[in-house]
C-alpha cells in the first residue's frame, strides 16, 4: 500500500495514498474518503505540538533522564525506582522522581510521603521533597482519598503526563527518574514522544527470573528499540530469597494446624549449633533453570546490570518509605542494589567522557 505522508504519521489502517495525519489535507483529500480515521484527522490540530517546546525548556535544566520500565506488574519496578532515587540522592546528586503510573501510584508510599499535597508557585508545580536534594511528583498527591480509583482513558492520562513534564519546577537537577507503569501502553508512548527532543539517557528494565516475566520483558526491549530509547540494562529482581538464619520463623505442622515453633527451634540451635546463627539462608523462589534475565540479555544484545535477591527487610523498607541504604538492616539486598547503581553511574560517566 502506497501512502503520501511520512511513515511515522500514517495510521496502520489508513487508505492508500494517505496524506498523513499532520498534512493540511488530512481528512479532506479524495484518498481519505471512507477511511475510518477521516473525521479524527479532519478535526485534529495540525503541525508540531506547542507544548513540546515548553517541555524541552523545562527539561533543559535536567542533566540525565532515566526511565524505569517493566513488562509485568509486581516485579519490584517501583521499589527499584525508589531505591535508585534514594541512592543517587545519598551520593549528593540533585534528584527528581516522577511517578507516571497514573492508575497505580505507589511512589508516595515508598518514599514516606503519603498525605502530602502539591503546591503551586509562579514557577509551576513544586515537587514534594523527601530531602533537600530529592523531590517527588505523583498523581498520588492529587487524590482526595488514597483509596480512590483513577478511571481514566488514554487521552486524559497523556494530558497529565504532559502537564507533569511541562509544569513541574524541578530546578537544576542531575537525575530525573521516571517510574512508568508496566507494559507498553499509552503512558510509555507519551513519555517517549514528549521527551524525544530532550535526550533521554535510556531505560532500565526490571524483571523477575521466571519465563512468564521474561516473555514480556522481551516485548519491552523491542519497544525501546522501536522508539529509539537506549536500554541501559536489565535488573533481575527477586533473584532468590536471602535472609539471615536468625530472622527465620519455624512452624510445626499438626493435626489441628500449624503452631509457631520459632522459640523452640532457636533455643535448640543456640545450644547445639550456634554457628548457624551467622549463616544466610538462601532459597530459589522462581524457576531460573533457563538462565533467567542474564541469558535473555545475552540473546537480545542488551546489558545485564545484575541481580537483587528477595529480601524481607527491603520489602519492609519500602512499606515504611525509607532508604535501604540508611542502615544495615537490608544486608541481603542493599549491597546488590548499590553495585548495580554504582556500575550504572560509572557507565554513564564513561559514555560522557567518550562524547
Amino acid at each position: 500500500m502506497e501512502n503520501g505522508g511520512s511513515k511515522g504519521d500514517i495510521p496502520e489502517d489508513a487508505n492508500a495514498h494517505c496524506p498523513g495525519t499532520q498534512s493540511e489535507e488530512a481528512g479532506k483529500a479524495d484518498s481519505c474518503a471512507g477511511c475510518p480515521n477521516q473525521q479524527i484527522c479532519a478535526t485534529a490540530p495540525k503541525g508540531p505540538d506547542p507544548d513540546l517546546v515548553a517541555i524541552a525548556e523545562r527539561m533543559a535544566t535536567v542533566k540525565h533522564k532515566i526511565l524505569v520500565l517493566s513488562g509485568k506488574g509486581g516485579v519490584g519496578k517501583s521499589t527499584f525506582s525508589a531505591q535508585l532515587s534514594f541512592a543517587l540522592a545519598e551520593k549528593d546528586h540533585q534528584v527528581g522522581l516522577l511517578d507516571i503510573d497514573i492508575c497505580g501510584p505507589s511512589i508516595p508510599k515508598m518514599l514516606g510521603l503519603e498525605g502530602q499535597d502539591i503546591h503551586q508557585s509562579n514557577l509551576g508545580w513544586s515537587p514534594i521533597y523527601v530531602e533537600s536534594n530529592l523531590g517527588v511528583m505523583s498523581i498520588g498527591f492529587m487524590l482526595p482519598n488514597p483509596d480512590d480509583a483513577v478511571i481514566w482513558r488514554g487521552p486524559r492520562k497523556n494530558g497529565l503526563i504532559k502537564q507533569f513534564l511541562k509544569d513541574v519546577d524541578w530546578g537544576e537537577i542531575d537525575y530525573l527518574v521516571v517510574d512508568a507503569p508496566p507494559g507498553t501502553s499509552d503512558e510509555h508512548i507519551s513519555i517517549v514522544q514528549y521527551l524525544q527532543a530532550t535526550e533521554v539517557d535510556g531505560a532500565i528494565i526490571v524483571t523477575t527470573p521466571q519465563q512468564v516475566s521474561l516473555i514480556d520483558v522481551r516485548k519491552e526491549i523491542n519497544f525501546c528499540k522501536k522508539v529509539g530509547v537506549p536500554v541501559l540494562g536489565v535488573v533481575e529482581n527477586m533473584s532468590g530469597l536471602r535472609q539471615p538464619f536468625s530472622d527465620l520463623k519455624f512452624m510445626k505442622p499438626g493435626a489441628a494446624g500449624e503452631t509457631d515453633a520459632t522459640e523452640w527451634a532457636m533455643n535448640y540451635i543456640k545450644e547445639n549449633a550456634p554457628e548457624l546463627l551467622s549463616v544466610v539462608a538462601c532459597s530459589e523462589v522462581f524457576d531460573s533453570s533457563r538462565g533467567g534475565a542474564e541469558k535473555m540479555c545475552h540473546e537480545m544484545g542488551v546489558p545485564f546490570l545484575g541481580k537483587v535477591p528477595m529480601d524481607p527487610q527491603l520489602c519492609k523498607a519500602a512499606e515504611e518509605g525509607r532508604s535501604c541504604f540508611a542502615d544495615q538492616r537490608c544486608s541481603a539486598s542493599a549491597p546488590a542494589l548499590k553495585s548495580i547503581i554504582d556500575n550504572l553511574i560509572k557507565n554513564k560517566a564513561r559514555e560522557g567522557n567518550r562524547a
Side-chain angles (χ1 to χ4, degrees):
M1 179 182 289
E2 295 182 358
N3 291 292
S6 64
K7 185 178 179 181
D9 66 357
I10 296 174
E12 290 184 0
D13 55 352
N15 289 355
H17 309 293
C18 172
T21 58
Q22 295 301 311
S23 168
E24 291 297 328
E25 293 297 311
K28 304 173 186 176
D30 292 341
S31 58
C32 298
C35 176
N37 307 294
Q38 184 177 12
Q39 185 176 358
I40 297 173
C41 291
T43 56
K46 306 298 187 294
D49 185 344
D51 286 336
L52 296 183
V53 176
I55 290 172
E57 290 174 353
R58 185 70 81 178
M59 290 294 109
T61 63
V62 179
K63 291 180 183 176
H64 301 286
K65 305 164 198 71
I66 298 174
L67 308 181
V68 182
L69 310 175
S70 68
K72 278 196 177 301
V75 300
K77 169 189 54 61
S78 294
T79 299
F80 182 83
S81 296
Q83 297 304 325
L84 171 61
S85 301
F86 276 128
L88 292 171
E90 288 172 17
K91 292 178 181 293
D92 293 326
H93 294 294
Q94 297 292 325
V95 183
L97 173 55
L98 175 59
D99 179 8
I100 64 166
D101 193 344
I102 306 299
C103 294
S106 52
I107 288 299
K109 172 73 173 176
M110 292 185 174
L111 278 89
L113 297 174
E114 286 183 299
Q116 298 291 324
D117 296 319
I118 297 172
H119 298 286
Q120 285 186 291
S121 70
N122 59 343
L123 297 176
W125 289 356
S126 298
I128 308 298
Y129 284 90
V130 184
E131 302 288 348
S132 60
N133 64 334
L134 174 53
V136 181
M137 182 55 65
S138 169
I139 192 177
F141 301 134
M142 304 167 71
L143 299 177
N145 185 329
D147 295 333
D148 286 347
V150 179
I151 308 173
W152 289 2
R153 294 188 185 274
R156 195 171 179 192
K157 292 180 185 178
N158 299 342
L160 182 60
I161 292 171
K162 180 187 284 188
Q163 195 166 8
F164 278 158
L165 295 173
K166 181 170 64 76
D167 293 344
V168 176
D169 177 31
W170 298 105
E172 297 275 348
I173 62 173
D174 299 304
Y175 288 92
L176 178 63
V177 178
V178 180
D179 183 52
T184 54
S185 56
D186 284 349
E187 294 94 326
H188 306 81
I189 298 169
S190 294
I191 195 72
V192 171
Q193 177 188 351
Y194 298 151
L195 293 178
Q196 62 186 353
T198 68
E199 298 183 12
V200 176
D201 289 57
I204 298 170
I205 302 174
V206 181
T207 184
T208 48
Q210 77 274 36
Q211 289 298 309
V212 71
S213 179
L214 295 175
I215 287 169
D216 287 335
V217 169
R218 291 174 182 272
K219 297 182 178 74
E220 200 80 34
I221 292 170
N222 284 326
F223 167 81
C224 290
K225 290 178 178 179
K226 285 181 179 179
V227 299
V229 174
V231 177
L232 300 176
V234 175
V235 174
E236 184 178 282
N237 196 29
M238 307 184 196
S239 184
L241 173 66
R242 292 176 63 88
Q243 190 173 8
F245 194 87
S246 56
D247 289 348
L248 292 177
K249 288 189 176 182
F250 298 87
M251 303 301 293
K252 186 175 182 180
E258 293 182 336
T259 56
D260 190 337
T262 304
E263 185 177 358
W264 170 84
M266 285 301 177
N267 288 334
Y268 184 88
I269 291 166
K270 287 175 184 177
E271 292 177 8
N272 297 281
E275 61 274 12
L276 286 178
L277 297 176
S278 61
V279 171
V280 175
C282 304
S283 176
E284 187 174 275
V285 179
F286 298 113
D287 179 23
S288 59
S289 60
R290 292 174 141 186
E294 188 169 9
K295 182 181 178 183
M296 180 207 66
C297 287
H298 178 73
E299 293 170 350
M300 298 199 72
V302 297
F304 178 65
L305 295 177
K307 301 179 179 182
V308 180
M310 185 180 289
D311 179 0
Q313 289 297 328
L314 176 60
C315 299
K316 191 173 181 181
E319 285 287 303
E320 295 175 355
R322 57 181 172 83
S323 168
C324 73
F325 308 103
D327 52 43
Q328 302 300 312
R329 283 181 279 181
C330 298
S331 58
S333 56
L337 282 164
K338 183 178 183 300
S339 176
I340 288 170
I341 294 165
D342 286 347
N343 288 335
L344 187 67
I345 294 172
K346 288 176 186 176
N347 291 343
K348 293 306 299 178
R350 281 197 292 268
E351 289 176 12
N353 292 335
R354 285 199 295 268

